[in-house]
């Protein structure tokens, strides 16, 4: 079996998507308008596919977007997506070969990091990805969860129609991008695709849309769905699924959660993709009414260590030499000297002795400040050569807020 790896051509576009849908086990039958919005923005240049003769047997690609890193700089980020291998061709190394080509392609485009959401968390560590943005899923009995503490809320929440949401939500999203590391900036096409998805359907019906504004500026929004459960004609119970709670400051966070916890008749509220430093637990009178489940959100992969590390600032001043082991693409590893602090940083290849040896996945894990190197060291994922260097790394890589990514891509 000879497998060819390359981008798909325009003529192969439909076959690429059919193969992808089948890889995830689905039949996707969109309208022409939906197909255009959903799929034509994904250009051949973003793709890397595997072909067995004419048949597409592997799909992958990367959406180039921008996201913030600690210190507030915006970096380029290869958002890896659409990864499948046909069931007829699995476990023969096709993903292993395809991923390497995709990562090389994205590095050539000048992306310092790649990131992705994994369908299964055991897949990507072998390719150098580290768990970088962890989330929490919340389940709340809203009859018992009472907000006891709240910051001052100077603005107001109001319901908006899908048309108005299309106009005001982008401003709130951009505010969130600038206040948290890791949130992808959305372009016009992404918002059009999002708006198209608001047509309703399915047994959850259409979502409710709420914006939080201060002085006419949108600083947050929530998008939620409700479902009633009836027994003998009586409503016994209602579910509220808070699909998106996007906030950019304490007031927008508190206002939106006040709203969600006060939707009467719907007593079981669930949400996913909350940042791990969400302040909701500290606002409640009784924290036990909030069930929290950790979840692996976004995996990061360094494509260019020097460029990625020098893009962010560091909480404490310091200088460290890392020996970065990249077993998947060895020439991207090596020894790097990082010198940084709150005002900026540099990172360059060096021949100096290493303070710390670690795999590229571990460096990717701590990149946005979402995990401590000391925890990884205790797990046997890092080796310290100079006493105190892991502690120094932790004080440097610390971030004011945990990274967060409320968008699945
Ligand atoms: C995940 C998927 C793309 C893997 O493709 P593949 O071509 O079979 O992968 P490879 O043959 O290159 O596997 C490489 C290694 O990863 C392992 N691996 C692959 N998929 C795995 C999984 N789902 N869980 C755990 N290990 C996995 C293989 O066992 C192999 O290990 P080895 O090197 O020790 O032998 C394919 O199974 C698939 O399409 N799954 C359904 C869609 C999906 O979940 N896509 C991922 C979206 S984020």
């Amino acid at each position: 079996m000879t497998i060819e790896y390359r981008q798909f051509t325009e003529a192969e576009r439909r076959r690429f998507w059919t193969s992808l849908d089948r890889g995830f086990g689905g039949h996707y039958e969109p309208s022409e308008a939906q197909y255009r919005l959903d799929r034509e923005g994904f250009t051949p240049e973003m793709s890397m596919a595997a072909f067995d003769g004419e048949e597409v047997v592997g799909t992958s690609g990367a959406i180039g977007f921008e996201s913030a890193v600690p210190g507030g700089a915006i970096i380029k980020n290869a958002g890896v997506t659409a990864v499948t291998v046909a069931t007829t061709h699995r476990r023969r190394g096709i993903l292993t070969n395809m991923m390497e080509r995709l990562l090389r392609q994205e590095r050539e485009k000048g992306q310092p990091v790649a990131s992705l959401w994994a369908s299964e968390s055991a897949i990507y560590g072998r390719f150098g990805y580290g768990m970088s943005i962890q989330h929490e899923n919340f389940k709340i009995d809203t009859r018992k969860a009472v907000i006891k503490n709240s910051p001052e809320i100077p603005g107001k929440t109001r319901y908006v129609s899908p048309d108005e949401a299309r106009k005001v939500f982008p401003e709130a999203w951009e505010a969130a991008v600038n206040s948290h590391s890791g949130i992808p900036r959305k372009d016009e096409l992404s918002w059009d695709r999002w708006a198209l998805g608001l047509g309703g359907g399915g047994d959850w019906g259409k979502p409710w849309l709420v914006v939080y504004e201060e002085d006419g500026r949108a600083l947050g929004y929530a998008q939620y769905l409700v479902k009633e459960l009836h027994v003998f004609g009586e409503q016994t119970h209602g579910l509220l699924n808070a699909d998106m709670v996007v906030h950019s400051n304490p007031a927008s966070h508190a206002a939106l959660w006040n709203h969600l916890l006060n939707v009467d008749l719907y007593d079981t509220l669930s949400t996913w993709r909350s940042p791990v430093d969400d302040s909701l637990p500290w606002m409640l009178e009784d924290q036990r009414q909030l069930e929290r489940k950790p979840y692996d959100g976004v995996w990061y992969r360094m494509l260019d260590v020097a460029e990625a590390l020098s893009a962010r600032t560091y909480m404490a001043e310091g200088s460290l030499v890392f020996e970065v082991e990249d077993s998947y693409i060895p020439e991207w590893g090596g020894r790097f000297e990082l010198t940084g602090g709150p005002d900026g940083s540099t990172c360059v290849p060096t021949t100096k002795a290493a303070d710390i040896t670690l795999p590229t996945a571990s460096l990717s894990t701590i990149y946005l400040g979402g995990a401590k190197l000391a925890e990884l060291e205790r797990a046997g994922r890092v080796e310290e050569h100079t006493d105190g260097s892991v502690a120094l790394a932790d004080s440097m890589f610390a971030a004011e807020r945990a990274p967060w990514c409320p968008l699945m891509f």
Side-chain angles (χ1 to χ4, degrees):
M1 180 181 71
T2 308
I3 302 292
E4 187 191 359
Y5 298 92
R6 59 172 172 81
Q7 295 171 345
F8 67 76
T9 62
E10 278 299 344
E12 291 159 340
R13 178 188 284 279
R14 295 247 170 195
R15 270 190 279 143
F16 178 90
W17 287 109
T18 304
S19 179
L20 183 146
D21 293 333
R22 198 167 45 211
F24 281 115
H27 293 280
Y28 181 61
E29 285 154 10
S31 65
E32 271 308 305
Q34 194 168 359
Y35 180 89
R36 267 201 304 281
L37 270 178
D38 270 5
R39 298 191 155 180
E40 292 196 348
F42 190 93
T43 61
E45 296 70 42
M46 296 178 184
S47 73
M48 182 50 63
F51 293 83
D52 183 356
E54 299 219 319
E55 193 191 348
V56 180
V57 295
T59 63
S60 70
I63 304 162
F65 59 72
E66 295 180 324
S67 60
V69 291
I74 299 282
I75 60 162
K76 294 212 276 178
N77 192 332
V80 171
T81 188
V83 175
T84 68
V85 169
T87 306
T88 47
H89 287 67
R90 280 181 190 157
R91 305 300 182 266
R92 298 180 206 170
I94 291 181
L95 175 60
T96 306
N97 291 325
M98 188 167 66
M99 180 59 68
E100 184 185 338
R101 285 162 174 86
L102 178 66
L103 294 179
R104 287 185 184 280
Q105 172 173 297
E106 295 310 306
R107 182 175 148 125
E108 269 173 32
K109 289 179 190 165
Q111 322 262 30
V113 297
S115 59
L116 58 77
W117 285 84
S119 61
E120 294 181 274
S121 57
I123 302 175
Y124 291 99
R126 73 195 72 236
F127 305 129
Y129 289 86
M131 174 28 48
S132 187
I133 306 182
Q134 300 181 71
H135 287 154
E136 283 191 355
N137 296 343
F138 290 166
K139 188 169 160 225
I140 309 169
D141 182 338
T142 60
R143 289 165 305 185
K144 297 184 188 154
V146 176
I147 290 189
K148 177 85 185 303
N149 309 292
S150 172
E152 197 191 330
I153 301 175
K156 284 200 165 43
T157 48
R158 65 183 175 97
Y159 284 105
V160 287
S161 67
D163 282 347
E164 195 176 0
R166 173 68 186 81
K167 294 192 191 105
V168 297
F169 282 9
E171 185 179 26
W173 186 271
E174 191 61 15
V177 166
N178 291 321
S179 57
H180 294 86
S181 300
I183 305 183
R185 260 196 182 140
K186 288 202 205 181
D187 56 18
E188 289 300 303
L189 181 66
S190 314
W191 282 108
D192 288 343
R193 288 176 55 194
W194 169 85
L196 190 87
L198 294 179
D203 49 352
W204 282 89
K206 289 186 191 174
W208 294 102
L209 306 168
V210 177
V211 67
Y212 171 79
E213 290 162 322
E214 281 174 26
D215 300 325
R217 284 185 56 226
L219 294 177
Y221 72 84
Q223 179 179 335
Y224 63 93
L225 297 138
V226 294
K227 191 193 266 191
E228 296 171 15
L229 298 182
H230 292 270
V231 174
F232 296 123
E234 284 178 33
Q235 180 175 348
T236 55
H237 185 53
L239 306 176
L240 189 154
N241 179 4
D243 193 35
M244 276 280 177
V245 190
V246 175
H247 43 85
S248 61
N249 65 359
S252 54
H253 171 271
L256 294 168
W257 275 107
N258 256 297
H259 178 96
L260 293 167
L261 293 177
N262 281 300
V263 180
D264 282 345
L265 308 180
Y266 299 89
D267 48 33
T268 304
L269 188 157
S270 64
T271 190
W272 61 312
R273 298 172 293 189
S274 292
V276 292
D277 62 352
D278 198 296
S279 44
L280 181 64
W282 303 107
M283 291 165 62
L284 297 178
E285 182 169 46
D286 178 357
Q287 288 200 10
R288 276 190 211 167
Q289 302 313 324
L290 174 64
E291 287 177 40
R292 304 162 71 173
K293 186 172 169 227
Y295 188 77
D296 59 296
V298 182
W299 296 71
Y300 266 58
R301 210 276 181 214
M302 300 260 155
L303 302 182
D304 186 327
V305 171
E307 204 181 316
L309 291 190
S310 56
R312 57 160 289 182
T313 61
Y314 294 85
M315 193 78 103
E317 298 281 352
S319 187
L320 285 167
V321 175
F322 292 107
E323 179 76 42
V324 181
E325 294 175 335
D326 193 329
S327 56
Y328 187 51
I329 307 183
E331 70 265 28
W332 291 1
R335 208 170 288 172
F336 297 89
E337 181 174 21
L338 169 69
T339 305
D343 296 328
S345 64
T346 57
C347 183
V348 287
T350 183
T351 52
K352 291 182 188 168
D355 298 307
I356 293 169
T357 297
L358 78 180
T360 187
S362 295
L363 190 58
S364 305
T365 290
I366 63 164
Y367 180 50
L368 298 178
K372 289 204 175 301
L373 201 57
E375 289 172 26
L376 301 187
E377 187 192 20
R378 290 199 294 276
R381 289 173 167 235
V382 172
E383 203 184 333
E384 182 183 64
H385 307 297
T386 311
D387 283 352
S389 52
V390 166
L392 174 60
D394 277 336
S395 49
M396 289 175 73
F397 280 76
E400 267 172 43
R401 292 294 315 261
W404 182 35
C405 184
L407 180 74
M408 210 165 189
F409 50 88

